[in-house]
Amino acid sequence: MDILVSGSMAYDRIMDFEGKFSDHILPDQLDNINVSFTVNSLTENFGGTAGNIAYSLSLLGEKPRILATIGQDYHRYFEWLKQIGVAIDDIRVVEEELTAGAYITSDTRNNQITGFNPGAMKQQSGFDFGGINPKDCLAIVAPGNLGDMTDYTAEYEKRGIFSIFDPGQSLPAWEPAALAKCISQSKMLVCNDYEMEMICNSTGKSREQVAETVETTVVTKGSDGCELLTASGTVVIPVVPAADAVDPTGAGDAFRGGLIKGIVEGRSIERAVQMGNVAGHYAVRKWGTQQHSFTMAEFNAVLEQHFGS
């Protein structure tokens, strides 16, 4: 099966702040913020939503196709993708730009502040759907170039391809009508709890009304697990505990990899969400993105331990 993963390719620069952001932000000065955080460390990792999701899918034995752009500094990332068995053929190189860069700072409460330079992501990836069999294809539209997100969502609906819409960090850039349309054109909406509130505020709809426009909605809620909303009602799926959790960066993308793996295997949506939680469990135990690893035997053992066979 073709798994099409559109979104961003980026180099993530991840920093660790030994404190709480809230201790340094004055509530009565929110319109005049001027803060500086001294961090303990900085690491650079391969990242971007498309790259991260593809990485976890590769750990799960899949061969995803990345629909994204990358900049003139692509060489290290391409070598890494080749090393983990992910094809580079569908990634468009934009020679006049640098690869997108995310600058992520996490505090001791796992709150994050991120600055993002889109770089090559400002241009569309221009994927050719000519050789795609819609009956043997699944797609996820993750945060990336807005033109790609809009066009691919419409293309998937037109071709009858099962698609997951994951607006994530792109939400502030959306016009309400365009956002609502992309959600309704998809088979599944995936977002975290805060992002769902942003969607509701943008579209003027309640959570229930948003969920009514798409077959399945998955809302991740950190340590509180996930809510799975369908026409049958709402199911709460617990998180897989990780006592040694160190960094939430990339956990959401890992979750999406596990979720997609479950859908591709024909599992129930509830089981697929459970698989997403297991993948996220591995991600939070490592600093940065694309740093976690597991064998399928290890993955399945955790899945059965926490959710049964």
Side-chain angles (χ1 to χ4, degrees):
M1 173 178 282
D2 278 318
I3 302 175
L4 307 181
V5 181
S6 65
S8 61
M9 301 292 289
Y11 291 111
D12 289 341
R13 283 88 184 187
I14 300 171
M15 292 159 279
D16 174 33
F17 173 59
E18 277 294 327
K20 295 186 293 183
F21 295 140
S22 58
D23 290 340
H24 301 269
I25 298 175
L26 302 176
D28 60 345
Q29 293 290 316
L30 294 180
D31 61 342
N32 187 33
I33 294 177
N34 186 354
V35 294
S36 176
F37 301 108
T38 299
V39 298
N40 286 344
S41 61
L42 184 150
T43 59
E44 182 179 81
N45 295 308
F46 301 112
T49 55
N52 292 343
I53 294 169
Y55 172 74
S56 283
L57 282 166
S58 73
L59 292 178
L60 291 160
E62 298 295 335
K63 301 290 183 182
R65 299 174 67 173
I66 296 177
L67 284 54
T69 55
I70 198 167
Q72 59 189 246
D73 50 344
Y74 64 88
H75 305 86
R76 285 179 295 133
Y77 212 142
F78 274 16
E79 286 300 317
W80 170 243
L81 291 175
K82 291 176 184 177
Q83 183 179 329
I84 63 174
V86 174
I88 61 174
D89 309 65
D90 303 305
I91 304 172
R92 179 188 166 208
V93 177
V94 181
E95 291 286 0
E96 62 270 26
E97 294 275 6
L98 291 171
T99 300
Y103 300 82
I104 305 165
T105 305
S106 298
D107 71 4
T108 55
R109 300 293 296 274
N110 286 334
N111 296 304
Q112 291 183 326
I113 295 176
T114 300
F116 186 73
N117 169 40
M121 200 185 78
K122 290 182 286 189
Q123 299 198 30
Q124 292 188 240
S125 55
F127 181 72
D128 181 3
F129 288 89
I132 294 296
N133 177 4
K135 295 181 180 179
D136 194 33
C137 181
L138 178 148
I140 181 167
V141 177
N145 178 278
L146 247 61
D148 277 349
M149 296 180 75
T150 301
D151 292 351
Y152 289 158
T153 301
E155 192 71 27
Y156 297 144
E157 182 188 42
K158 183 176 76 173
R159 292 176 178 268
I161 294 172
F162 184 101
S163 69
I164 301 167
F165 187 61
D166 169 25
Q169 305 99 311
S170 72
L171 279 169
W174 285 87
E175 293 293 330
L179 175 61
K181 184 176 181 180
C182 281
I183 293 171
S184 67
Q185 288 176 319
S186 307
K187 293 295 184 184
M188 180 182 291
L189 169 66
V190 180
C191 59
N192 65 33
D193 200 38
Y194 186 80
E195 291 160 356
M196 177 55 93
E197 285 301 308
M198 293 181 69
I199 291 170
C200 292
N201 290 338
S202 175
T203 61
K205 299 177 184 290
S206 67
R207 290 189 177 214
E208 293 72 21
Q209 289 172 327
V210 171
E212 287 172 358
T213 67
V214 63
E215 287 184 9
T216 305
T217 300
V218 179
V219 181
T220 61
K221 306 180 75 171
S223 60
D224 292 328
C226 302
E227 284 186 356
L228 171 60
L229 295 82
T230 65
S232 302
T234 301
V235 176
V236 177
I237 300 172
V239 72
V240 177
D244 54 350
V246 292
D247 183 17
T249 309
D253 293 330
F255 169 87
R256 285 146 179 78
L259 172 72
I260 291 168
K261 175 66 172 180
I263 297 171
V264 167
E265 289 188 340
R267 309 287 189 100
S268 70
I269 295 298
E270 183 172 347
R271 188 62 164 182
V273 172
Q274 292 170 352
M275 293 173 69
N277 281 349
V278 173
H281 157 83
Y282 280 102
V284 300
R285 297 166 64 197
K286 294 290 184 180
W287 287 105
T289 54
Q290 300 184 40
Q291 296 295 309
H292 59 287
S293 64
F294 50 77
T295 65
M296 283 307 305
E298 291 169 338
F299 183 91
N300 289 328
V302 173
L303 181 65
E304 292 184 13
Q305 176 186 352
H306 290 277
F307 299 110
S309 58

